[in-house]
């Protein structure tokens, strides 16, 4: 079973407690909704993204607006970059976000999977030069590597695609790959999906060298003409809410993770960001997830993330619902 057929199964069974989706339950900011209501006409825009938005992003990263490309979700930025680097193996640490697999399959990108372990707190081990795709805070484990490890990877790499969409849900200040390497060897991919609770508006961006950004822009032009115009304007005009959001999301989800894990009796590395926890169940995660489904709770099996005997629980329900779910998980046998 793959992610999409599992998802269909969950949709069909409609369990009362959905802890599978990776979508924050904190509603979008009112300022943004107001801008969206005002922007009734949405024409095509420039393929690199609206200047108004690129300027705000560039100022946030202290780069030039030409070093920013707006994309249709972080996903399109990831697709553009993996496509650009498809001629040599791309190193990817497991557990990983399954979206990379889908992109790699479509574009024939060879992936060189490097396993990390729960015993080692999911810390990635640098593995020589080459292209890497890294994702911290990590979906599904929630971890952020030590600064030494992160630095060593970026220093050894020829190029790093750094998926930083969870920088908005970081319990301590999360490092960026750009702290350790310049734009000539790093592309940061980010998204407004999690930051502003607008996954359906499909808005993300890439920060990198002009050369890499030119290739991302070409990819966007070829596949979607431009990123969506109305949402770009609305986000540009409510950009000031982002810092407040980071504080709010980080507080809500760090409190939930702490409370949920203090109740859960499965071994689990404490997350340092995201709204996920990735406990070990000690048997097939798929069988465990199916057993939970029959008890009214949906989670994602670890198989989809490259770690068989785990489940990913999304903490996107109120705390009382999560604590009841922890009881159910605790009392669900493995076999
Ligand atoms: N990267 C990671 C690690 C994610 O978890 C997700 C969404 N779940 C994405 C990228 C895709 O984000 P977007 O909605 O901006 O395409």
């Amino acid at each position: 079973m793959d992610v999409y057929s599992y998802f269909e199964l969950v949709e069909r069974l409609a369990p009362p407690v959905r802890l599978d989706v990776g979508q924050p339950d904190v509603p979008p900011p009112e300022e943004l909704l107001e801008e969206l209501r005002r922007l009734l006409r949405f024409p095509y825009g420039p393929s690199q993204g609206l200047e108004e938005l690129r300027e705000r992003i560039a100022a946030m990263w202290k780069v030039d607006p030409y070093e920013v490309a707006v994309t249709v979700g972080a996903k399109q930025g990831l697709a553009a970059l993996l496509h650009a680097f498809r001629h040599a193996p791309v190193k990817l640490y497991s557990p990983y976000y399954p979206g990379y697999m889908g992109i790699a399959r479509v574009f024939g990108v060879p992936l060189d999977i490097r396993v990390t372990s729960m015993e080692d707190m999911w810390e990635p081990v640098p593995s020589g030069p080459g292209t890497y795709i890294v994702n911290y805070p990590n979906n599904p484990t929630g971890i952020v590597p030590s600064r030494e490890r992160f630095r060593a990877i970026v220093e050894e790499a020829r190029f790093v695609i750094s998926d930083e969409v969870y920088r908005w849900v970081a319990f301590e200040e999360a490092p960026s790959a750009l702290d350790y390497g310049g734009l000539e060897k790093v592309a940061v991919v980010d998204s407004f999906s999690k930051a502003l609770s607008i996954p359906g508006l499909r808005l993300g961006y890439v920060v990198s060298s002009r050369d890499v950004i030119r290739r991302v822009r070409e990819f966007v032009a070829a596949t979607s003409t431009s990123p969506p115009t109305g949402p770009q304007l609305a986000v540009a005009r409510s950009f000031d809410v982002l810092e407040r959001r980071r504080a709010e999301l980080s507080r809500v989800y760090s409190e939930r993770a702490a409370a949920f894990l203090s109740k859960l009796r499965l071994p689990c590395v404490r997350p340092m960001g995201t709204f996920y926890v990735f406990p070990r169940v000690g048997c097939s995660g798929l069988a465990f997830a199916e057993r939970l489904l029959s008890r009214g709770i949906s989670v994602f099996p670890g198989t989809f993330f490259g770690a068989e005997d785990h489940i990913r629980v999304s903490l996107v329900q109120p705390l009382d619902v999560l604590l009841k779910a922890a009881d159910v998980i605790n009392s669900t046998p493995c076999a």
Side-chain angles (χ1 to χ4, degrees), residues 57-79:
I57 297 166
M60 180 169 77
W61 285 94
K62 301 188 175 60
V63 298
D64 189 277
Y66 286 102
E67 293 162 335
V68 176
V70 182
T71 53
V72 180
K75 218 23 169 339
Q76 193 185 34
L78 291 165

Short mmCIF file of all heavy atoms in Angstrom, two decimals, residues 57-79:
data_model
loop_
_atom_site.label_atom_id
_atom_site.label_comp_id
_atom_site.label_asym_id
_atom_site.label_seq_id
_atom_site.Cartn_x
_atom_site.Cartn_y
_atom_site.Cartn_z
N ILE A 57 10.37 38.44 1.12
CA ILE A 57 11.12 37.21 1.42
C ILE A 57 12.62 37.50 1.42
O ILE A 57 13.36 37.06 2.32
CB ILE A 57 10.79 36.10 0.38
CG1 ILE A 57 9.31 35.71 0.45
CG2 ILE A 57 11.68 34.87 0.58
CD1 ILE A 57 8.82 34.88 -0.74
N ALA A 58 13.06 38.28 0.43
CA ALA A 58 14.50 38.60 0.31
C ALA A 58 14.97 39.36 1.55
O ALA A 58 16.06 39.09 2.08
CB ALA A 58 14.75 39.42 -0.95
N ALA A 59 14.15 40.29 2.03
CA ALA A 59 14.54 41.07 3.21
C ALA A 59 14.65 40.15 4.43
O ALA A 59 15.57 40.27 5.25
CB ALA A 59 13.52 42.18 3.46
N MET A 60 13.74 39.18 4.52
CA MET A 60 13.75 38.25 5.66
C MET A 60 15.04 37.41 5.65
O MET A 60 15.60 37.12 6.71
CB MET A 60 12.51 37.35 5.57
CG MET A 60 12.38 36.34 6.68
SD MET A 60 10.74 35.57 6.64
CE MET A 60 10.91 34.44 5.29
N TRP A 61 15.52 37.03 4.47
CA TRP A 61 16.72 36.19 4.37
C TRP A 61 17.99 37.00 4.13
O TRP A 61 19.07 36.42 3.97
CB TRP A 61 16.54 35.16 3.24
CG TRP A 61 15.61 34.06 3.61
CD1 TRP A 61 14.27 34.01 3.35
CD2 TRP A 61 15.93 32.86 4.33
NE1 TRP A 61 13.74 32.85 3.86
CE2 TRP A 61 14.74 32.13 4.46
CE3 TRP A 61 17.11 32.34 4.87
CZ2 TRP A 61 14.68 30.90 5.12
CZ3 TRP A 61 17.05 31.11 5.52
CH2 TRP A 61 15.85 30.42 5.64
N LYS A 62 17.84 38.34 4.04
CA LYS A 62 18.98 39.22 3.74
C LYS A 62 19.69 38.80 2.45
O LYS A 62 20.91 38.64 2.41
CB LYS A 62 19.96 39.24 4.93
CG LYS A 62 19.29 39.72 6.21
CD LYS A 62 20.30 39.93 7.33
CE LYS A 62 19.68 40.51 8.57
NZ LYS A 62 18.60 39.66 9.16
N VAL A 63 18.88 38.59 1.39
CA VAL A 63 19.42 38.29 0.07
C VAL A 63 18.77 39.26 -0.92
O VAL A 63 17.94 40.09 -0.55
CB VAL A 63 19.11 36.81 -0.36
CG1 VAL A 63 19.76 35.83 0.60
CG2 VAL A 63 17.60 36.56 -0.46
N ASP A 64 19.16 39.15 -2.20
CA ASP A 64 18.60 39.99 -3.24
C ASP A 64 17.29 39.36 -3.75
O ASP A 64 17.19 38.13 -3.81
CB ASP A 64 19.64 40.04 -4.38
CG ASP A 64 19.28 41.06 -5.41
OD1 ASP A 64 18.44 40.73 -6.31
OD2 ASP A 64 19.79 42.18 -5.33
N PRO A 65 16.28 40.17 -4.14
CA PRO A 65 15.03 39.58 -4.67
C PRO A 65 15.26 38.67 -5.88
O PRO A 65 14.45 37.77 -6.14
CB PRO A 65 14.19 40.79 -5.05
CG PRO A 65 14.71 41.90 -4.19
CD PRO A 65 16.17 41.63 -3.98
N TYR A 66 16.39 38.85 -6.62
CA TYR A 66 16.68 37.95 -7.74
C TYR A 66 17.17 36.58 -7.26
O TYR A 66 17.32 35.66 -8.05
CB TYR A 66 17.72 38.57 -8.69
CG TYR A 66 17.10 39.67 -9.50
CD1 TYR A 66 17.31 41.01 -9.18
CD2 TYR A 66 16.24 39.36 -10.55
CE1 TYR A 66 16.71 42.01 -9.90
CE2 TYR A 66 15.62 40.36 -11.28
CZ TYR A 66 15.86 41.69 -10.95
OH TYR A 66 15.25 42.66 -11.66
N GLU A 67 17.44 36.48 -5.97
CA GLU A 67 17.85 35.20 -5.40
C GLU A 67 16.66 34.46 -4.76
O GLU A 67 16.83 33.56 -3.95
CB GLU A 67 18.99 35.44 -4.39
CG GLU A 67 20.25 35.93 -5.11
CD GLU A 67 21.28 36.59 -4.20
OE1 GLU A 67 20.91 37.12 -3.13
OE2 GLU A 67 22.46 36.60 -4.59
N VAL A 68 15.45 34.90 -5.13
CA VAL A 68 14.22 34.29 -4.61
C VAL A 68 13.30 33.93 -5.78
O VAL A 68 13.12 34.73 -6.69
CB VAL A 68 13.46 35.30 -3.69
CG1 VAL A 68 12.13 34.71 -3.23
CG2 VAL A 68 14.31 35.72 -2.51
N ALA A 69 12.73 32.72 -5.76
CA ALA A 69 11.68 32.37 -6.72
C ALA A 69 10.48 31.87 -5.92
O ALA A 69 10.63 31.01 -5.04
CB ALA A 69 12.14 31.27 -7.68
N VAL A 70 9.30 32.42 -6.21
CA VAL A 70 8.08 31.95 -5.56
C VAL A 70 7.58 30.73 -6.34
O VAL A 70 7.70 30.69 -7.57
CB VAL A 70 7.01 33.07 -5.52
CG1 VAL A 70 5.76 32.59 -4.79
CG2 VAL A 70 7.58 34.32 -4.84
N THR A 71 7.06 29.73 -5.63
CA THR A 71 6.66 28.48 -6.27
C THR A 71 5.25 28.06 -5.83
O THR A 71 4.72 28.59 -4.85
CB THR A 71 7.65 27.35 -5.89
OG1 THR A 71 7.75 27.29 -4.47
CG2 THR A 71 9.04 27.60 -6.47
N VAL A 72 4.69 27.11 -6.56
CA VAL A 72 3.36 26.57 -6.22
C VAL A 72 3.55 25.56 -5.09
O VAL A 72 3.72 24.37 -5.32
CB VAL A 72 2.70 25.93 -7.47
CG1 VAL A 72 1.32 25.39 -7.12
CG2 VAL A 72 2.58 26.96 -8.59
N GLY A 73 3.56 26.06 -3.88
CA GLY A 73 3.87 25.23 -2.72
C GLY A 73 5.37 24.95 -2.68
O GLY A 73 6.08 25.12 -3.69
N ALA A 74 5.85 24.51 -1.52
CA ALA A 74 7.24 24.08 -1.43
C ALA A 74 7.48 22.92 -2.40
O ALA A 74 8.56 22.75 -2.96
CB ALA A 74 7.56 23.63 -0.01
N LYS A 75 6.44 22.11 -2.62
CA LYS A 75 6.52 20.93 -3.48
C LYS A 75 7.07 21.26 -4.86
O LYS A 75 7.93 20.56 -5.38
CB LYS A 75 5.12 20.39 -3.61
CG LYS A 75 4.73 18.94 -3.65
CD LYS A 75 5.56 17.93 -3.11
CE LYS A 75 5.06 16.54 -2.93
NZ LYS A 75 3.66 16.24 -2.86
N GLN A 76 6.58 22.36 -5.48
CA GLN A 76 7.06 22.69 -6.82
C GLN A 76 8.54 23.12 -6.77
O GLN A 76 9.30 22.81 -7.68
CB GLN A 76 6.21 23.79 -7.45
CG GLN A 76 6.48 23.96 -8.93
CD GLN A 76 5.73 25.11 -9.54
OE1 GLN A 76 5.52 26.14 -8.90
NE2 GLN A 76 5.31 24.95 -10.79
N GLY A 77 8.93 23.80 -5.70
CA GLY A 77 10.34 24.17 -5.54
C GLY A 77 11.21 22.93 -5.41
O GLY A 77 12.27 22.82 -6.03
N LEU A 78 10.74 21.96 -4.63
CA LEU A 78 11.48 20.70 -4.45
C LEU A 78 11.57 19.96 -5.79
O LEU A 78 12.62 19.43 -6.15
CB LEU A 78 10.78 19.82 -3.42
CG LEU A 78 10.84 20.33 -1.97
CD1 LEU A 78 9.82 19.60 -1.10
CD2 LEU A 78 12.25 20.16 -1.41
N ALA A 79 10.44 19.95 -6.52
CA ALA A 79 10.43 19.26 -7.81
C ALA A 79 11.42 19.94 -8.76
O ALA A 79 12.20 19.26 -9.44
CB ALA A 79 9.02 19.28 -8.40
#
